[in-house]
Amino acid sequence: MVSFEDVNRANRGSRSFFRALDQEENGDEDLDEYFHHPEKKRRLTVDQVQFLEKSFEVENKLEPERKIQLAKEVGLQPRQVAIWFQNRRARWKTKQLEKDYDALQASFNSLKADYDNLLKEKDKLKQEVVQLTDKLLVKEKEKGNSEEPQQKLVVAEQESKVSMAVGCKQEDMSSAKSDIFDSESPHYTDGVVHSSLLEAADSSYAFEPEQSDLSQDEEDNLSKGLLHPPPIPYIFPKLEDDGDYSDPPATSCNFGFPLEDHAFWSWAY
DNA sequence: TTGTGTTTTATTGCCTCC
DNA sequence: GGAGGCAATAAAACACAA
């Protein structure tokens, strides 16, 4: 239990109970002013503040009994003690929000770095697809026209497989995004943020908003968790022609696994 | 000394809970 | 309906550069 006597004794010599008493040259005048003009706003002494701070650390809420007890010990009106705790809680909350903001900023930076890396990887894979396609076309030309119909079929199949392979990677990324943004908003427990966004920061998940770079507004929105659904991934170009995106595409690269995450599709389309 | 920005104390109005 | 909490705000006190 915190005792005001202890705190006061520890600080004796540095500051007296009332600031007015510190100023010897006009101490009587200030003291007189203090007691005769109680409406005048006065700062609490260092001792009083230290005592209240210690009490606040123990428990940041005030029951009526405790309020009166504290007021007696520290020499203030119970109402002043209540006001001090009220303001102190407000300051604590502000600080806590700053901490939470910093934590979210850090996790955003981490996710952004992951995302940038995945973009690079995706570009690299696209390059590979182009190169392989070119090679196949060259081979086709070399072999002449006699086998052309069948050869074209083979080329198309090869392209399809490569495309699906790249596409699946993207779906993984998009699902990860869905996991992050579909879940609940950050919630507070004892002033600490528990957010899936924060938890995701440690994972290697990232998402795929668009092939082009994000605009500044999008960057801002992303940082606020307000990113709009991205355009359709380029891996399903044919589906765009169908115009019906209400259900997951049957030709998706789930390779026979059931598509459980319909939230992703409603989000993506 | 003074102008200005920040911190601290206090008030007001609204909301929730009992 | 009263008590207590919170957000917004006022205003005094304080810090500090110019």
Side-chain angles (χ1 to χ4, degrees):
Chain A
M1 183 62 184
V2 184
S3 157
F4 181 66
E5 283 301 314
D6 294 340
V7 174
N8 195 24
R9 206 178 300 122
N11 290 289
R12 199 161 286 159
S14 59
R15 288 262 196 160
S16 60
F17 192 88
F18 294 108
R19 195 177 58 88
L21 300 180
D22 282 346
Q23 300 166 346
E24 290 180 11
E25 65 277 7
N26 56 359
D28 289 342
E29 192 181 313
D30 282 358
L31 196 59
D32 186 67
E33 187 184 327
Y34 185 89
F35 285 112
H36 291 92
H37 300 276
E39 76 280 2
K40 186 86 175 171
K41 199 176 280 187
R42 289 270 171 183
R43 289 219 163 181
L44 306 188
T45 66
V46 173
D47 292 336
Q48 287 171 317
V49 170
Q50 277 189 8
F51 181 72
L52 291 171
E53 284 285 353
K54 282 194 162 63
S55 301
F56 184 83
E57 282 173 21
V58 174
E59 173 64 55
N60 73 349
K61 295 254 172 130
L62 269 182
E63 298 80 39
E65 276 185 22
R66 184 163 166 249
K67 178 170 69 181
I68 291 166
Q69 178 67 24
L70 279 177
K72 272 184 187 171
E73 289 201 52
V74 85
L76 293 170
Q77 294 295 316
R79 172 155 177 79
Q80 283 180 294
V81 174
I83 289 166
W84 188 91
F85 267 72
Q86 187 65 58
N87 289 320
R88 186 65 183 80
R89 280 195 295 269
R91 288 198 294 273
W92 178 84
K93 192 177 175 184
T94 303
K95 282 268 192 302
Q96 203 59 41
L97 281 171
E98 285 172 7
K99 278 185 188 173
D100 292 346
Y101 175 83
D102 289 343
L104 283 169
Q105 181 80 27
S107 76
F108 168 77
N109 290 337
S110 170
L111 281 169
K112 179 83 164 55
D114 283 350
Y115 166 69
D116 289 340
N117 287 335
L118 285 165
L119 260 191
K120 284 176 190 167
E121 196 181 331
K122 186 193 81 177
D123 287 342
K124 208 172 131 189
L125 288 168
K126 278 174 71 180
Q127 280 294 117
E128 278 183 40
V129 170
V130 170
Q131 285 173 3
L132 288 170
T133 306
D134 286 348
K135 276 184 185 175
L136 283 169
L137 285 172
V138 168
K139 273 189 180 177
E140 179 193 344
K141 278 185 181 176
E142 283 173 353
K143 287 201 172 181
N145 294 334
S146 61
E147 303 171 23
E148 190 178 356
Q150 195 178 356
Q151 194 67 26
K152 273 187 176 172
L153 197 63
V154 171
V155 170
E157 279 178 3
Q158 293 277 11
E159 282 183 357
S160 174
K161 282 178 183 173
V162 173
S163 182
M164 286 170 81
V166 174
C168 281
K169 190 165 187 63
Q170 287 206 330
E171 183 175 317
D172 290 343
M173 292 152 58
S174 300
S175 296
K177 182 192 183 304
S178 177
D179 288 342
I180 292 167
F181 286 95
D182 285 348
S183 55
E184 70 224 7
S185 302
H187 51 277
Y188 290 83
T189 305
D190 294 328
V192 178
V193 171
H194 298 286
S195 160
S196 59
L197 188 61
L198 284 174
E199 285 152 14
D202 293 333
S203 75
S204 58
Y205 287 150
F207 49 88
E208 174 59 32
E210 201 183 354
Q211 291 189 61
S212 59
D213 290 337
L214 295 171
S215 69
Q216 189 56 51
D217 281 350
E218 285 168 331
E219 294 268 12
D220 290 345
N221 286 339
L222 179 58
S223 69
K224 295 169 188 165
L226 300 174
L227 190 69
H228 296 297
I232 298 150
Y234 77 97
I235 54 173
F236 305 117
K238 287 182 180 173
L239 285 165
E240 290 182 45
D241 298 330
D242 295 337
D244 180 11
Y245 304 134
S246 57
D247 289 312
T251 55
S252 173
C253 54
N254 54 359
F255 291 122
F257 292 103
L259 265 173
E260 292 173 354
D261 190 4
H262 281 236
F264 163 72
W265 295 110
S266 58
W267 167 80
Y269 294 106

